[in-house]
Amino acid sequence: MRVAVTGGGGFLGSHLCEALLRRGDSVVCLDNFLTGEPRNVAHLRSNPAFRVIDVDVSVDADVPGRFDAVAHLASPASPPDYLRWPLETLAVGSRGTENALRLALRDGARFVLASTSEVYGDPLVHPQEEDYWGNVNPVGPRSVYDEAKRFAEAMSVAYRRTLGVDVGILRIFNTYGPRMRPEDGRVVSSFITQALMGEPLTIYGDGKQTRSFCFVDDLVRGIIAMLDSSEDGPFNLGNPVERTVTELAELVLDITGSTSDVRYFPLPVDDPVRRRPVITRAQERLGWYPDVDIEEGLRRTVEWFASRPQEEVAAGAAAIRGGQLDGAAVAGPGSRSLPKPMSASSAAADAPV
């Protein structure tokens, strides 16, 4: 199978590319590396079945050659990223999604949208089933991501109903693992980075808010199961074991052996208080369930962070220091000038194989 993965240079996308190659698929990674990292896929470039095209899918995704499947993962995904890049986040959720859908339509390919639990907003229903419509503030600071993904779902469903595209929608809950950026502002990477540097772990709110943390290997299995199916979804993908943020901090401190203390700050605007997926549909229709418990997943993630150069981890810790107060964007090593948009046709000519 030949698969196009938009956002294939990101944390999640790179793991998906790797897993698809491992099972014998041919993969084309489409990414402008706004928040992704070229090094995430550097080890894959020697594989003749893998190709990277440096392109902004919000501009164009008309890549040469026929595809059997398109996995649309491209988007800033952490609060600091989409607060730093609000217009780009809206663009990739709207124009980027339509361009990826047009690619699937062109080739009669399977299309899988990586949506998010953020479509539920700060939920008034707990736990969250796919039939819940959500509680989203359309003009709040998080709306650029929440509404971009809600629009992407609507666009995907419209292409399925109107043009017959074989669409599947996944709503992804908190995912963690190796290749997270130290400065991305997500709670797992922030806690690990701070613990390894001996800095205070920063908790926003009272620490009683909950999340359900899914290890990246498990999540990728779910995406591949959706790619291989004809299910339309939406399906929740995530770990149904709910933990408080304080419990997560304690686990990270225990695993790292850090003596860091914990400091509390105000909860960012519209930050969800409780988050746990109901995954019955994914279990029944995809045969999917997460296998890696959080202790094992965190150990593997800590080992990866500990293997990074110390200056990289230190820079990440500095970047996230006080980084999400009142939903404010942070600057850090991931900040860079907006890349010039490039079309898929011009990028393909010079793309490394």
Side-chain angles (χ1 to χ4, degrees):
M1 186 163 74
R2 187 169 188 249
V3 185
V5 180
T6 73
F11 155 58
L12 183 55
S14 65
H15 283 278
L16 177 60
C17 290
E18 188 173 50
L20 290 169
L21 289 168
R22 191 182 303 123
R23 72 173 195 167
D25 291 331
S26 175
V27 178
V28 176
C29 162
L30 309 179
D31 207 313
N32 68 344
F33 298 101
L34 181 65
T35 59
E37 296 285 351
R39 67 183 177 186
N40 286 343
V41 292
H43 65 296
L44 304 177
R45 288 178 180 265
S46 61
N47 189 327
F50 182 66
R51 186 178 188 183
V52 177
I53 299 180
D54 187 337
V55 64
D56 181 353
V57 296
S58 300
V59 176
D60 185 17
D62 190 18
V63 181
R66 185 185 179 279
F67 290 96
D68 301 292
V70 177
H72 183 41
L73 277 67
S75 179
S78 70
D81 283 341
Y82 56 72
L83 292 170
R84 184 184 298 126
W85 304 107
L87 299 180
E88 293 74 22
T89 301
L90 288 163
V92 77
S94 54
R95 295 192 299 271
T97 298
E98 184 159 26
N99 286 338
L101 281 161
R102 285 175 175 168
L103 179 61
L105 175 65
R106 184 197 74 182
D107 295 342
R110 170 71 165 161
F111 178 87
V112 170
L113 171 68
S115 187
T116 173
S117 59
E118 295 294 333
V119 300
Y120 300 124
D122 188 6
L124 303 177
V125 172
H126 190 80
Q128 292 80 56
E129 294 184 302
E130 291 91 345
D131 292 336
Y132 177 51
W133 291 354
N135 176 43
V136 175
N137 177 358
V139 295
R142 301 171 72 98
S143 65
V144 295
Y145 184 63
D146 300 358
E147 298 291 17
K149 288 295 189 179
R150 287 163 70 93
F151 181 88
E153 289 195 15
M155 176 74 76
S156 299
V157 170
Y159 265 70
R160 181 177 68 217
R161 291 174 177 162
T162 307
L163 300 173
V165 176
D166 182 14
V167 164
I169 298 173
L170 295 172
R171 291 175 179 164
I172 296 172
F173 283 65
N174 294 72
T175 306
Y176 70 98
R179 297 183 201 148
M180 298 181 82
R181 295 181 2 250
E183 78 284 0
D184 68 10
R186 304 184 208 203
V187 66
V188 172
S189 53
S190 294
F191 283 177
I192 292 175
T193 299
Q194 291 166 332
L196 290 176
M197 295 308 301
E199 295 203 1
L201 274 60
T202 51
I203 291 180
Y204 299 92
D206 60 9
K208 296 179 181 178
Q209 66 268 37
T210 66
R211 296 292 185 269
S212 302
F213 300 100
C214 186
F215 190 64
V216 64
D217 290 1
D218 284 334
L219 199 287
V220 165
R221 282 194 300 103
I223 296 175
I224 291 177
M226 191 64 156
L227 280 168
D228 289 344
S229 79
S230 58
E231 296 287 348
D232 53 7
F235 293 159
N236 290 335
L237 283 190
N239 195 316
V241 179
E242 187 177 7
R243 291 182 182 271
T244 69
V245 173
T246 295
E247 288 173 339
L248 176 69
E250 292 169 349
L251 272 174
V252 169
L253 291 173
D254 181 59
I255 290 170
T256 60
S258 174
T259 58
S260 296
D261 61 1
V262 176
R263 295 182 184 175
Y264 293 82
F265 296 90
L267 194 68
V269 176
D270 297 330
D271 197 54
V273 175
R274 299 193 74 187
R275 185 62 61 71
R276 175 162 68 91
V278 175
I279 61 170
T280 305
R281 289 186 186 178
Q283 286 180 269
E284 293 178 348
R285 300 186 193 180
L286 299 178
W288 178 85
Y289 192 88
D291 293 329
V292 180
D293 63 41
I294 193 166
E295 289 83 1
E296 173 62 20
L298 283 176
R299 286 191 188 93
R300 289 161 66 176
T301 307
V302 166
E303 287 174 1
W304 184 84
F305 272 90
S307 72
R308 309 309 303 163
Q310 187 175 25
E311 57 271 21
E312 178 183 326
V313 180
I320 61 177
R321 200 174 291 137
Q324 291 188 54
L325 293 180
D326 298 322
V330 300
S335 300
R336 43 192 179 269
S337 299
L338 181 63
K340 182 180 179 181
M342 183 181 292
S343 68
S345 56
S346 60
D350 299 320
V353 175

